[in-house]
Amino acid sequence: MKIAVVRESHSETRVALVPEAVAKLVKAGHQVTVERRAGERSDFADDEYAEAGAAVGESGLASADVVVSVNPLDRSRVGLLRRGAATISFLPTGQALEHVAALRAARVTSFSLELVPRISRAQSMDALSSQALVAGYRGAVVASGLMRRFFPQNMTAAGTIQPAQVVVLGAGVAGLQAIATSRRLGAVVKAYDVRAAAAEEIRSMGAKAIELELETLEGSGGYAREMTEDRAAKQRELLTPFITAADVLITTAAVPGRQAPLLVTRSMVETMKAGSVVVDLAAESGGNVEGSSPGEVVQIGRAHVWGGQNVAGQMPGPASSLLAQNIVNLLTLAAGEDGSWAPDFDDEIIAGACVTHDGQIRHEPTRDALAEQGSPSGPAPEKSPSEEPAAEAPADQETAEQETDGADS
């Protein structure tokens, strides 16, 4: 198959395929085109892609069977794709309905990495988990950098400095990595999750599980079930003493495509001691902490609150390497016996991750949301066979847009 890797626009630092992943695909007989400078913000040079066997130059959108990217293609570039081409990227359908409609209208097959089913067979394709791993590590490192004291205990002739007290809320992949990293840095860690199975996972990381006298909330796909406001209020009341005593609070609770649950109110943060630090890894999706702001450090009471923004992208090298392997595994699953692009829509992974195909919206919640919005959700009209993609835009877009490649504060 012909695979195109595009250069991300705006401030995204990650790249969909790294040279090592390109080499695997080329060895398997696929043709890979990498847009010039696609990997530079992840510290992968064009020469490395060329050495891995890729053709480096224009984006190759017009001839590609599959286009892979971190974020959805700009809508202006969707029109460059040929009918029947496919895209693989993160695609938050609930926030990108107009984009989904454009993919449908272009009769492009699109796959959302957020929608890969959370089943054992799909673990190697689970990009949400791989990026959460990076975010959890980054969150703990940011907390240690912002806090103006040691994480580990220090015993000296001048006296003993006690270890930092860290509380982590949420014990999914990001939370467990935040726990593990904080423990490696020498902190004393306590953690809480609404799922019953999480307590044992927390203890396995060397942390103490916070146990509240509340029912557990097990949901499907490894996520927690949504709680009532009464239960949420009771949970916040019971968690307040633990947060008050903490030097560092790290919150990690998020559900793809939905607003993050509010776990910590402003008044709870105001009980924290002077110099304490709060890291809200869910700030981009509404925030677990009231008052947090994506990409900013704000002061609430005596605490500094860091709001995460593209947290995995702040470590673009390892984040891209993990994401690239997720994408390679999905591409391999979708390849036919002869290596051609031949997704089997009877496969639950392929079917579950597909958003649009052959002019239809296959993801039912997205189809329903578009219908509620008043947009057509049925099959798109057939394209004329003679209709050609628009001329391709220049690969180097630096002159057309001003880019900001910074990380969070």
Side-chain angles (χ1 to χ4, degrees):
M1 69 181 86
K2 295 180 179 179
I3 303 164
V5 183
V6 299
R7 183 170 183 247
E8 302 291 326
S9 60
H10 310 304
S11 60
E12 179 58 66
T13 56
R14 293 168 292 178
V15 64
L17 291 179
V18 301
E20 182 182 2
V22 168
K24 291 178 182 178
L25 291 168
V26 171
K27 185 177 180 181
H30 305 299
Q31 299 177 40
V32 182
T33 298
V34 178
E35 190 171 8
R36 274 192 294 269
R37 300 170 63 195
E40 68 174 358
R41 282 170 283 186
S42 301
D43 298 326
F44 299 110
D46 287 350
D47 289 348
E48 295 178 78
Y49 284 104
E51 290 171 7
V56 179
E58 302 298 320
S59 67
L61 292 176
S63 61
D65 296 315
V66 190
V67 178
V68 296
S69 58
V70 179
N71 297 305
L73 280 180
D74 288 343
R75 288 172 61 187
S76 62
R77 304 188 93 185
V78 170
L80 302 175
L81 303 178
R82 62 175 181 80
R83 173 183 168 178
T87 63
I88 297 175
S89 70
F90 285 109
L91 178 57
T93 55
Q95 291 81 46
L97 293 177
E98 291 184 3
H99 190 88
V100 172
L103 290 166
R104 167 194 161 276
R107 303 186 81 84
V108 168
T109 298
S110 59
F111 292 91
S112 168
L113 293 170
E114 287 98 331
L115 297 179
V116 171
R118 304 202 91 186
I119 58 176
S120 297
R121 192 165 63 87
Q123 284 182 348
S124 65
M125 305 165 218
D126 187 353
L128 286 176
S129 290
S130 73
Q131 301 308 285
L133 179 80
V134 180
Y137 173 85
R138 174 66 178 161
V141 170
V142 165
S144 69
L146 287 176
M147 195 177 73
R148 295 183 294 184
R149 56 165 295 178
F150 292 121
F151 258 45
Q153 182 181 52
N154 281 271
M155 301 178 69
T156 74
T160 299
I161 298 175
Q162 296 300 320
Q165 302 289 319
V166 175
V167 169
V168 177
L169 300 184
V173 174
L176 292 174
Q177 184 58 215
I179 292 168
T181 304
S182 297
R183 289 278 298 137
R184 292 188 198 107
L185 290 170
V188 173
V189 184
K190 297 176 182 177
Y192 175 73
D193 193 288
V194 297
R195 297 169 297 122
E200 187 56 40
E201 294 175 332
I202 290 168
R203 285 190 282 267
S204 74
M205 293 289 157
K208 179 180 179 180
I210 296 173
E211 297 182 4
L212 307 180
E213 294 182 1
L214 294 169
E215 64 170 326
T216 56
L217 297 175
E218 300 289 349
S220 61
Y223 294 107
R225 180 163 47 88
E226 189 172 3
M227 70 181 78
T228 65
E229 180 51 39
D230 286 346
R231 189 200 185 282
K234 184 63 174 177
Q235 177 178 291
R236 290 193 287 265
E237 178 187 341
L238 294 174
L239 284 173
T240 297
F242 296 96
I243 292 171
T244 301
D247 298 300
V248 170
L249 171 65
I250 302 174
T251 67
T252 69
V255 180
R258 296 169 62 181
Q259 180 160 324
L262 178 64
L263 304 180
V264 181
T265 63
R266 179 181 292 270
S267 62
M268 293 166 71
V269 176
E270 288 173 347
T271 69
M272 298 179 74
K273 65 191 75 169
S276 55
V277 171
V278 178
V279 168
D280 186 353
L281 294 180
E284 277 187 303
S285 57
N288 297 145
V289 180
E290 183 181 18
S292 69
S293 181
E296 296 183 12
V297 177
V298 299
Q299 186 159 347
I300 297 177
R302 296 173 294 174
H304 289 90
V305 181
W306 184 88
Q309 184 174 46
N310 190 15
V311 182
Q314 294 177 27
M315 302 189 68
S320 297
S321 294
L322 292 170
L323 176 61
Q325 190 57 54
N326 296 142
I327 292 174
V328 167
N329 292 335
L330 187 56
L331 286 168
T332 302
L333 178 67
E337 292 184 2
D338 61 353
S340 63
W341 174 249
D344 177 8
F345 290 97
D346 289 330
D347 185 291
E348 64 179 318
I349 298 174
I350 297 295
C354 184
V355 180
T356 62
H357 175 63
D358 196 23
Q360 298 186 13
I361 297 173
R362 293 179 59 99
H363 184 238
E364 186 174 351
T366 302
R367 186 169 62 244
D368 293 345
L370 276 168
E372 289 178 10
Q373 198 181 64
S375 301
S377 55
E382 292 282 345
K383 275 187 177 182
S384 167
S386 62
E387 188 175 344
E388 295 294 331
E392 187 164 340
D396 189 347
Q397 301 179 28
E398 285 286 352
T399 58
E401 63 180 42
Q402 189 74 13
E403 302 203 48
T404 55
D405 290 348
D408 287 2
S409 301

